Amino acid sequence: MNSIKDKLCKNKALITKANKSSSLIIVYQNDYEQKVPDFIAKSGAEIVNNNIMTKFQKDLRSTINSCESLIDTDKKGRLINLNPETPPLRGLIKIHKEGTPIRPVLNFKNAPSYKLARMLTDILKTHIPLPNVYNVQNSTKLMNDISQIPFTPELKLASLDISNMYTNIPTKDLISIINSLCKNHNIEDRVTREIISKTNLIMQNHYIFQDKTYVQNNGLAMGAPTSSILSEIYLQSLENTRIFDILKEEKIIGYFRYVDDILIIYNENIIDVNQVLKSFNDITPSLTFTLE
């Protein structure tokens, strides 16, 4: 172990995890420290004063105390982290991607809003259940669904990916979607207000990297308990509106999605897959769909 540490130190390298793999990889420290700031710059995050934690903790207490319908009085104190820390950012290297970009991950366990985020996830699942029309449940179900499509030689499969999905979800649009879903499910106005106030607070995304505190004004935090359900709310809203129109117009035969990976089945004689990709990218400027 000491020999490995000495070699890493002499070569100015470090060990980190690869994305979508249990592998450990060695990367030069300069390369790593350049990839993360590049991502931060592209995401539009801004350096802020370290005192943001004090203000956020105050807003957290205020939000929790104002929730009279969704949080029992005797449980409010349990949602406060008495020793909160700004979530540290680290990058997992995407070794399967050209240029080996990073996947940003936040350690959210000690974040001030971690406990509230876990509660909000359950609240959203209970009050606004999602239809999951296009979601892949497991590989067996996917194969069964594909087998139901009559095979012809003209059928082709294409894989699409949503680049850095969580950090590019437009949070302002997300709030209006949640508000509409609450109305559709006949949720009381005061409960809707509490759900939205919690969501607005949880989506305040700030983190620390190399002793500097950043705030990201848009997008969801990688590592927050709510990011999965919130991204699903947004994507399923698109799939039942704009994406549904594309599938119908472009005569897509099959559409399946698992998180940020999309599989489409189409007839190559009547469909240009690049035109389909362009239609997807025209939906919203914040999300980027790529052909894998």
Side-chain angles (χ1 to χ4, degrees):
M1 290 299 295
N2 288 333
S3 176
I4 293 174
K5 289 179 181 178
D6 289 341
K7 288 181 179 180
L8 290 172
C9 183
K10 289 178 181 178
N11 291 279
K12 296 182 179 179
L14 54 85
I15 297 176
T16 186
K17 289 184 64 177
N19 184 44
K20 293 186 178 180
S21 169
S22 59
S23 303
L24 294 177
I25 63 172
I26 297 174
V27 60
Y28 287 113
Q29 192 167 345
N30 287 340
D31 291 344
Y32 178 81
E33 291 179 350
Q34 185 59 45
K35 291 178 185 292
V36 178
D38 283 348
F39 165 79
I40 292 174
K42 291 177 181 178
S43 69
E46 302 174 349
I47 297 177
V48 293
N49 191 298
N50 289 332
N51 291 332
I52 189 174
M53 176 67 76
T54 303
K55 181 182 182 303
F56 185 83
Q57 192 78 337
K58 182 179 179 180
D59 292 341
L60 175 66
R61 290 179 180 273
S62 176
T63 300
I64 292 174
N65 290 330
S66 65
C67 290
E68 299 178 353
S69 301
L70 295 175
I71 305 177
D72 295 336
T73 303
D74 60 340
K75 294 182 179 180
K76 290 182 178 181
R78 304 176 193 174
L79 297 175
I80 303 294
N81 187 342
L82 300 179
N83 297 295
E85 297 177 0
T86 302
L89 172 70
R90 65 189 181 105
L92 304 184
I93 308 296
K94 297 181 179 181
I95 57 177
H96 61 291
K97 296 275 189 178
E98 184 178 353
T100 58
I102 69 158
R103 175 177 177 257
V105 176
L106 299 182
N107 185 348
F108 219 77
K109 284 292 180 71
N110 293 322
S113 58
Y114 176 71
K115 295 178 182 179
L116 182 63
R118 291 184 61 182
M119 172 178 278
L120 178 60
T121 300
D122 294 335
I123 289 172
L124 291 172
K125 289 179 179 179
T126 301
H127 286 78
I128 48 175
L130 298 174
N132 298 318
V133 176
Y134 300 104
N135 292 66
V136 175
Q137 298 176 5
N138 53 61
S139 57
T140 302
K141 180 69 164 56
L142 174 62
M143 294 305 298
N144 287 337
D145 290 341
I146 293 176
S147 66
Q148 300 302 313
I149 299 174
F151 174 78
T152 62
E154 298 80 16
L155 286 189
K156 294 293 180 181
L157 282 72
S159 175
L160 306 182
D161 177 71
I162 306 175
S163 301
N164 296 321
M165 181 184 71
Y166 281 177
T167 54
N168 286 302
I169 295 291
T171 49
K172 292 181 180 178
D173 295 343
L174 188 54
I175 291 299
S176 62
I177 291 171
I178 292 175
N179 188 50
S180 297
L181 288 174
C182 287
K183 289 183 178 179
N184 293 339
H185 286 84
N186 298 316
I187 306 299
E188 294 181 30
D189 288 343
R190 62 177 182 175
V191 174
T192 299
R193 288 193 297 269
E194 290 183 14
I195 290 175
I196 290 176
S197 68
K198 286 187 183 68
T199 304
N200 271 320
L201 181 80
I202 298 300
M203 289 193 304
Q204 293 184 33
N205 184 7
H206 61 278
Y207 53 83
I208 189 169
F209 179 72
Q210 293 183 335
D211 298 324
K212 294 179 181 178
T213 302
Y214 296 85
V215 61
Q216 187 171 316
N217 296 315
N218 202 16
L220 304 172
M222 294 290 295
T226 48
S227 292
S228 177
I229 183 66
L230 290 176
S231 63
E232 277 298 322
I233 289 173
Y234 180 77
L235 289 175
Q236 291 196 33
S237 174
L238 286 185
E239 287 171 338
N240 289 291
T241 52
R242 302 285 300 281
I243 289 179
F244 175 82
D245 293 338
I246 293 174
L247 300 180
K248 184 177 180 181
E249 181 179 346
E250 299 289 348
K251 297 181 174 61
I252 301 296
I253 297 172
Y255 173 95
F256 310 92
R257 179 177 60 81
Y258 180 75
V259 190
D260 58 352
D261 295 315
I262 298 170
L263 175 68
I264 61 172
I265 302 176
Y266 63 99
N267 186 325
E268 66 172 345
N269 290 341
I270 61 176
I271 293 176
D272 180 1
V273 69
N274 290 311
Q275 178 57 44
V276 174
L277 181 63
K278 182 180 182 301
S279 298
F280 273 74
N281 280 314
D282 288 342
I283 294 175
T284 173
S286 63
L287 292 181
T288 301
F289 296 82
T290 59
L291 193 61
E292 294 288 285

